[in-house]
Each structure stands twice: as C-alpha cells, then as structure tokens.
Amino acid sequence: MEQAVHLTHKALTGIDLSIIGVYFLVVFSIGFYFARKERTSTDYFLASRDVGWFAIGASLFVSNISTEHFIGLSGSGASSGLAVGHFEWLACLILLILGWVFVPFYLRSNVFTMPEFLERRFSRSCAVYLAGISIIAYIFTKISVQLYAASVVLERVVGWPLWETAIVLVIATGIYTIAGGLAAVIYTDMVQTMILIVGAVALTLIGLHRVGGFEALRAAVPASYFHMIKPTSDPNFPWTGIFLGAPILGIWYWCTDQVIVQRVLSARDEGHAKAACIFAGFLKILPVFMLVTPGIIALALFHDLFKFGPNGEVLNGDIAYPTMIINLLPTGLVGLVLAALLAAVMGAMSSVFNSASTLVTLDFYKKLNPGADERKLVNFGRIATGFMVLLGLLWVPFIHLISSQLYIYLQSVQAYISPPIAACFVLGILWTRLNAQGAITSLLSGFVLGAVRFIFELMDRVHGGHYFENPVARWIVDINFLHYAIFMFVVCSLLLVIVSLMGPAPDRKKLAGLTFATVDEKMEVLPSHAVARKPAAETPSERRLNIAFSALLVATVVGLWIYFR
C-alpha cells in the first residue's frame, strides 16, 4: 500500500505558472471592476446590498476556509481520522440558525455591523467591547495564523521563501480589497470557491485512486478513524463537547462575527440571505471529504513518513497535505491546487481586512465624526483596510517563530472569547428583560474567564505540563476546551440574567424589532442609515424553497452522522 516518498520540492512547469497567473489576473480584474462602481459607504461596506444567494454563499464558505484548514484538517485526519469533521458538519446546522433566527433581526434593524446591533439591543459599551475584541482577535489570530499556514505549505511544496511569499500574499490581497470593498471581496470569493473545490477534490480523487478506493482506505488505517462519535473521555473530540460546547463557538463565529455576517447583510432581500446560508451549509459538507480524507490517505500511502508517539498517535500530521501534493499531482494539477491554496488564504485574509476596516470605520470613526459624509467614510474605510494590510506585513518577520504548538494555541483563543458574546446575542433576542448592565458584566466576566484559561494553559505547557498543583488551577488547565466553553457559557448566561434582574428593565420602545417579543413593533431607523436601502422581505416562493432545502440539508447531515457514527 505504501508508495515511494519524495521529499523534494515540486517543480512548477509553464502550465502550472500559467494557471496561477490566470488566477491572479481574474482576481485583480474583479477587484478593480468594483472599484470603479462603488460610490457610498453602503456600496463599499455592504456591496450596495444587492448581492444574490450564490455569491454570498460562496463567500461565506471561502471566508471560513483558509490554508490553515488544508494543514489543520488534513493533519487531524492523519492523526485521528474523521472526528475533526464534526466542526464542519455542525457548521451546516448553525448556518441554518444564522439564516432562520438571526438574519431577520439583522436585516430588519438595517445595521451595518454586529457591534452596532449589540449597541441597539444593549449599550454603546457592549458595542465597544465587541468591536475592540474582534479587531484584536483578527490581528493576533486570524491574520497571523493564515499567513503562517499559507507560507509554510507553499515553502514545503514548491520551495517559495517564507518571507517573500507572505509579503506578496498580503500586498496582493490588500490591493483588490482596498480598491473594491465588500463587492470585490464577495465576487472574488465566488471565483476562489470554485477553484478551491476543484483543486481539493482533484487531489482527493487522485489519492483515493492511488490507495485503491474507499474500502481499501478503510482497511489500511485503524477502524476508529471512520467512527466520529467519541466517548466523553476522548481528549480531543468528546461527544459532550462536540454537541454541547462546539455549537457555542459556532453560534459566535457563524451568527455574530463580523467577517461572516457582513456577507449576509449584503443580500438583496431576506430570501436571498437565507438561501445563501443554506447554500454555504451544503458547501460545508465538503471539507470532510476534500480536506480531512486526504490526511487519512496520506497516512495510508506514506506511513513511514509520519512520526508516532508512545500510544501510536501521529505527531507530525501537518505534513499530510504537502506530502500529497508533492507525490501525487501531475503537471498542470499542481498549478490548480496551488491556485486553490492561494484562493483559500487570499479569500480569508480579504474578508478579515474588509470586516476589520468596517468595524474601525463605522463603530469608531463614524461615532467620533458623526458629520462625515459618504466620501469621507469610504476613503477612511480604504485607509483602515490599508492599515490592516500594514499590520499583516508587520507580522511577517515573526512568522518563523510560530511553531505548530503556538498555532494551536492561537486557534484556541477564539474558543475562549466566544461564550459571553454568544450568550448576549442568543439571550438578548430571546428575552426583553435583559439590560445593558447585565450584558457588559457578562462580557467582561467572560473575558476574564477566557484569559485565565489561556494564560494558565500556556504557562503549564511551557513548564512541561506540571506547573500547577492547586486542584482548581489544575481543573482549569486540564478540562477539555469545549467543556470549558460550556462552563463559560453557563456562567456568563447566569451573570447576564442575575445582574439584569437586579437593575431596571430596558425601555421597550428601544427594543422594537430586536427581540422575538418585539419583532412586529415598528423599529426606529438610525438617521445615519436613512439613505441605505433596506433589504426586502422574503417572498412566499423563496420561503417554500428555503424550507425545502433546509430540511434536505438537515437530513443529509444527520444521515452522514449516522453512517460515520
């Protein structure tokens, strides 16, 4: 079953370079096309609110999938099998929650950003917290991790120097993002999604053919690799953490994070917004087969290349995807898969650049300069995007210091900031009694709980896993991060409720259209958004189609879980 392994870099032919060149040409052409069209802040930040479901759904998908997924998902596939795919299939269902539960509130309130929605529901201080923590997280986790993953995989596959590769990727992404705003990001994402899927699927099919088919693959690796439901004692994917903790992270990421929701806010009507979420849900089924499965194939084909721990666990799973590219792809397809990798990282980075600049412009600059006209807002948005690009460039000298362990820790930051935000959004639309004092208490307490876990975990790891002897500190460090997310969500929810009940109830007029109890009450239109076109309601025919495809998506995901249980 094992193949001869080649560790040298893959030489790029003229065909490969031509494919990559065409990819860059298409991306820049789209960016500058929309740079000529946009005129107002709605055009720049929300793509004129006239985007259809297909483009938004594709953008949701590629904004989420970056090169770190190529390394991380395939690496986890090689290390432990399909179980990491839980996060992908849970996302399918949480995207339905975004479409059916949150989108109607977001569109009817006519907001541009998630902090703006939180401000309308609770207070300005809550909005400042969310905007600030989001921007910091984008800079110190998303941009750094994406650059690290992209540069490492391209260096391993084709020998491109790490520094130069990172600089080119940041500048290239920044050019079309600054020029065209969200419209350029969404429509380049649509192209990048197609390239990403075609390239990744091609490599998976070639790998399956080389290994002898799916049944031969199952026979070549431990049986546990194809069982996704793990016991509560599993250190990585306990079923309790997956089905109770992971949805908390998912609701924060898919339903309240600016990078994701900004795309949905650009929809031409509510029906298209929901359809986009459903379409993205179907796309999220694919990574298990086109990114996780190649890791398992790599283990079957190139077993001798992997290092194993004392319990048989794979220690260097991150080599799986580069190994597949180097050893399996013929001329031409190398260029296609590299274009897919470039599409993944550029799509994800452009989304971060654009969303961060939106937060800086609308949640800070516009609040400090309420009289700024549309031209000033767009120009400042471009400057803010350029500043984010500059921060990305400043990260480049430190990329080589990011080890695989630190890469994992950076990813876990998101797990520690999400529970209080998810609690405020979910409970905020469910219950009118919750007030601003309860919300800010919950957010700040959650920040402390998350910071304590993150710092304790780092200290313990640095000292070989034996730094803390106190039982409470030991529990904080040792508990599975998904179980800790459940704990944080419960604590933050209780604080939100208790502190709110101790204070006065919010003015019901301010809650019009922002909760289920006040959804039909007339909402006050923000003066700053009076010129913005409000998306139309969902038509009866759109609703019927959305219900049918939502049911099909749920049935598909549940069926897959049953098959791979």
Side-chain angles (χ1 to χ4, degrees), residues 43-87:
D43 297 332
Y44 189 76
F45 295 114
L46 292 183
S48 306
R49 278 189 161 158
D50 192 34
V51 185
W53 64 269
F54 185 89
I56 296 174
S59 184
L60 286 171
F61 178 72
V62 84
S63 296
N64 166 247
I65 298 293
S66 185
T67 319
E68 73 224 43
H69 287 76
F70 283 78
I71 291 180
L73 290 181
S74 61
S76 292
S79 302
S80 55
L82 294 181
V84 69
H86 277 302
F87 295 100

Side-chain angles (χ1 to χ4, degrees), residues 184-477:
V185 172
I186 286 180
Y187 287 105
T188 52
D189 282 354
M190 186 170 67
V191 174
Q192 288 164 335
T193 295
M194 292 184 284
I195 295 172
L196 190 158
I197 291 174
V198 171
V201 168
L203 181 58
T204 302
L205 293 177
I206 291 172
L208 277 176
H209 174 74
R210 187 71 64 88
V211 84
F214 194 71
E215 290 305 317
L217 176 63
R218 297 190 71 151
V221 298
S224 61
Y225 272 49
F226 289 90
H227 293 294
M228 296 185 69
I229 308 299
K230 304 293 185 181
T232 56
S233 59
D234 188 87
N236 298 313
F237 309 108
W239 72 265
T240 46
I242 291 295
F243 291 108
L244 298 176
I248 297 171
L249 279 61
I251 287 174
W252 162 76
Y253 180 80
W254 291 103
C255 301
T256 73
D257 187 55
Q258 184 68 23
V259 169
I260 296 299
V261 179
Q262 189 169 343
R263 277 119 199 83
V264 181
L265 296 180
S266 69
R268 61 174 56 111
D269 63 40
E270 192 174 313
H272 276 265
K274 288 180 181 177
C277 296
I278 298 165
F279 177 47
F282 277 105
L283 291 177
K284 285 297 288 179
I285 293 174
L286 299 178
V288 173
F289 301 107
M290 68 184 195
L291 296 179
V292 181
T293 301
I296 305 176
I297 295 172
L299 180 66
L301 288 176
F302 311 110
H303 187 273
D304 289 345
L305 195 60
F306 290 90
K307 299 176 183 178
F308 298 89
N311 299 317
E313 69 276 17
V314 175
L315 301 178
N316 59 336
D318 60 352
I319 68 169
Y321 211 84
T323 300
M324 292 277 286
I325 296 174
I326 292 170
N327 289 278
L328 297 184
L329 289 184
T331 298
L333 280 180
V334 175
L336 181 63
V337 172
L338 287 183
L341 291 169
L342 293 170
V345 68
M346 291 175 67
M349 274 204 303
S350 66
S351 299
V352 172
F353 290 157
N354 179 255
S355 295
S357 73
T358 303
L359 293 175
V360 172
T361 304
L362 300 182
D363 288 297
F364 292 109
Y365 175 75
K366 191 173 183 179
K367 296 293 183 181
L368 297 173
N369 298 274
D373 59 24
E374 293 294 298
R375 184 179 182 83
K376 286 183 178 179
L377 290 176
V378 172
N379 288 338
F380 188 85
R382 287 198 167 108
I383 294 171
T385 307
F387 183 69
M388 294 302 298
V389 173
L390 178 62
L391 288 175
L393 289 173
L394 292 177
W395 257 112
V396 172
F398 301 100
I399 289 177
H400 70 285
L401 299 177
I402 301 179
S403 65
S404 59
Q405 288 295 322
L406 183 55
Y407 164 73
I408 294 170
Y409 298 153
L410 289 171
Q411 288 289 72
S412 69
V413 169
Q414 300 178 17
Y416 304 143
I417 66 174
S418 58
I421 298 171
C424 287
F425 272 87
V426 172
L427 299 182
I429 65 174
L430 290 176
W431 195 15
T432 59
R433 183 61 180 80
L434 302 179
N435 62 24
Q437 292 83 1
I440 194 63
T441 301
S442 176
L443 290 171
L444 294 178
S445 300
F447 177 80
V448 171
L449 288 173
V452 166
R453 160 69 189 232
F454 183 66
I455 293 170
F456 278 25
E457 186 178 8
L458 276 178
M459 292 172 63
D460 196 60
R461 295 281 179 163
V462 168
H463 291 84
H466 304 289
Y467 185 74
F468 294 102
E469 296 182 1
N470 180 278
V472 175
R474 194 73 253 162
W475 177 84
I476 292 175
V477 171

